[in-house]
Amino acid sequence: MNAQNFAVIANQISTAIQSPFEIQATKSLAGGDINRAFLLQGVSQNYFVKLNCVELVEMFAAEFAGLNELAQTKTVKIPRPIIYGQTDDVSFLVLEFIELKRATPKSERLLGQQLAQLHQQKQPYFGWKIDNTIGSTPQSNKRCENWITFWREQRLAAQLKLAAQKGYGGQLQILGEKLCGRLDDFFTNYQPQASLLHGDLWGGNTAVNTENQPVIFDPACYYGDRETDLALTELFGGFGQDFYSAYNEVWRLDSGYKTRKTLYNLYHILNHVNLFGGGYASQAEQMMRQLLAN
Ligand code: ADP
């Protein structure tokens, strides 16, 4: 990353905040899956910047819009988005810098309550005003009145199609097609609502600030069944019992969630097949067998 790029970014920050911002020091930060991240230190303010190749500027545009969508609910704290754009060499997204720490049982309780309040923000259809990405995979959010159709076409079938293009045929596709034909069975007594979702709520995308307030970041927002966010919190662990109890106290989950969570996490495992390959294909097949046996 050359000094010229940082100078362009500092200039854009100055324009966005309508006050001069000059970088005193930069520090490379670890932790991101997809992008390179830096702390930009100024005289009195610090910013967090993510960088990627120029072609991926739309990914940052969607993340910028997602953070704004979450922020306007005033439920869970998110890093304030400042500006996104591109230089000749890189695309960038600048956010408020927040010193992040690990969650505590108390902050987990608060996150459970606040997430339920976030999910109470609804709209009359599934999808969102723009498409975005899950990891670096394109995620379609085309408006749809029917959740089952949305989940079938824009989530499962989209990942299965991508997997086929990457050479994952055989059982993965056979089971996938069978499951897509039987989705109605999972929704016999349940009508999901179109809740505002974080969309990528695994443990690595939440932390707390120095005042122990929960913070969520790196979203893949859309409006859909709130159970999808809860399911992902369970997939890779990291959320304690306090989180789930507090969530349920505000807005109780339906008993069918226990079965549907596999259906919802299947989307993320299929995405892992497409991003990382390896053993994820057999994990996806196993999940589909389990769902079909239900
Ligand atoms: P990626 O899109 O590459 O996955 P993330 O948005 O997850 O990147 O950010 C990478 C890491 O940087 C996070 O795990 C977190 O520790 C840290 N981070 C994210 N946002 C901020 C922020 N606004 N201020 C300070 N640190 C942040």
Side-chain angles (χ1 to χ4, degrees):
M1 177 67 179
N2 63 43
Q4 183 86 40
N5 284 322
F6 280 129
V8 173
I9 293 169
N11 223 350
Q12 297 258 341
I13 294 174
S14 303
T15 308
I17 64 171
Q18 297 181 321
S19 143
F21 175 72
E22 223 175 280
I23 297 174
Q24 304 289 306
T26 63
K27 195 173 144 201
S28 175
L29 299 172
D33 284 338
I34 308 292
N35 308 289
R36 281 176 293 152
F38 292 87
L39 160 64
L40 305 181
Q41 287 179 311
V43 179
S44 56
Q45 296 134 295
N46 293 333
Y47 292 100
F48 174 82
V49 64
K50 295 209 267 194
L51 305 174
N52 213 312
C53 56
V54 178
E55 294 71 34
L56 291 179
V57 68
E58 283 307 314
M59 182 174 81
F60 286 148
E63 185 171 341
F64 185 89
L67 289 165
N68 274 323
E69 189 89 5
L70 295 173
Q72 49 92 20
T73 68
K74 297 192 172 25
T75 53
V76 195
K77 183 168 174 53
I78 55 106
R80 188 163 43 90
I82 308 296
I83 186 99
Y84 71 90
Q86 63 193 82
T87 70
D88 289 343
D89 315 312
V90 293
S91 58
F92 60 86
L93 172 67
V94 179
L95 311 177
E96 164 193 10
F97 180 84
I98 302 179
E99 212 177 304
L100 296 171
K101 304 187 304 172
R102 283 173 71 91
T104 63
K106 202 170 156 203
S107 72
E108 291 220 334
R109 243 198 103 63
L110 205 51
L111 180 60
Q113 286 165 357
Q114 293 177 345
L115 183 70
Q117 286 157 359
L118 171 71
H119 288 163
Q120 282 167 346
Q121 316 293 313
K122 295 171 208 158
Q123 69 173 22
Y125 62 89
F126 302 101
W128 196 33
K129 58 186 177 186
I130 52 170
D131 294 339
N132 47 17
T133 49
I134 182 74
S136 53
T137 307
Q139 174 169 271
S140 162
N141 297 317
K142 201 153 22 91
R143 178 187 178 130
C144 185
E145 313 294 328
N146 182 307
W147 173 249
I148 302 174
T149 308
F150 182 89
W151 194 255
R152 180 190 298 118
E153 290 172 8
Q154 298 189 59
R155 292 295 178 264
L156 297 183
Q159 292 284 353
L160 285 163
K161 188 173 165 201
L162 200 56
Q165 287 163 3
K166 288 175 185 274
Y168 294 97
Q171 279 302 304
L172 190 86
Q173 299 297 334
I174 294 167
L175 292 166
E177 205 180 314
K178 218 185 246 179
L179 183 65
C180 282
R182 293 216 202 141
L183 286 194
D184 286 353
D185 297 355
F186 297 89
F187 297 88
T188 43
N189 292 310
Y190 178 65
Q191 282 184 333
Q193 301 175 41
S195 292
L196 177 56
L197 305 174
H198 176 282
D200 194 8
L201 197 59
W202 69 288
N205 285 343
T206 127
V208 298
N209 67 7
T210 49
E211 281 106 56
N212 279 322
Q213 283 178 304
V215 184
I216 56 175
F217 43 89
D218 204 14
C221 288
Y222 64 101
Y223 286 77
D225 186 358
R226 65 198 177 107
E227 290 182 355
T228 59
D229 265 354
L230 271 302
L232 185 52
T233 65
E234 291 197 56
L235 186 58
F236 303 112
F239 294 78
Q241 201 42 55
D242 294 294
F243 167 79
Y244 298 104
S245 314
Y247 184 95
N248 274 289
E249 280 162 28
V250 179
W251 192 5
R252 182 154 295 284
L253 285 166
D254 182 87
S255 59
Y257 163 70
K258 287 188 195 70
T259 311
R260 282 186 295 273
K261 76 179 173 195
T262 307
L263 182 67
Y264 290 150
N265 282 338
L266 176 62
Y267 172 62
H268 294 286
I269 295 299
L270 287 172
N271 190 37
H272 276 56
V273 173
N274 288 321
L275 290 173
F276 312 117
Y280 288 110
S282 52
Q283 188 178 349
E285 287 170 20
Q286 203 186 328
M287 289 166 92
M288 291 194 277
R289 280 198 193 93
Q290 186 197 324
L291 287 162
L292 287 164
N294 258 307

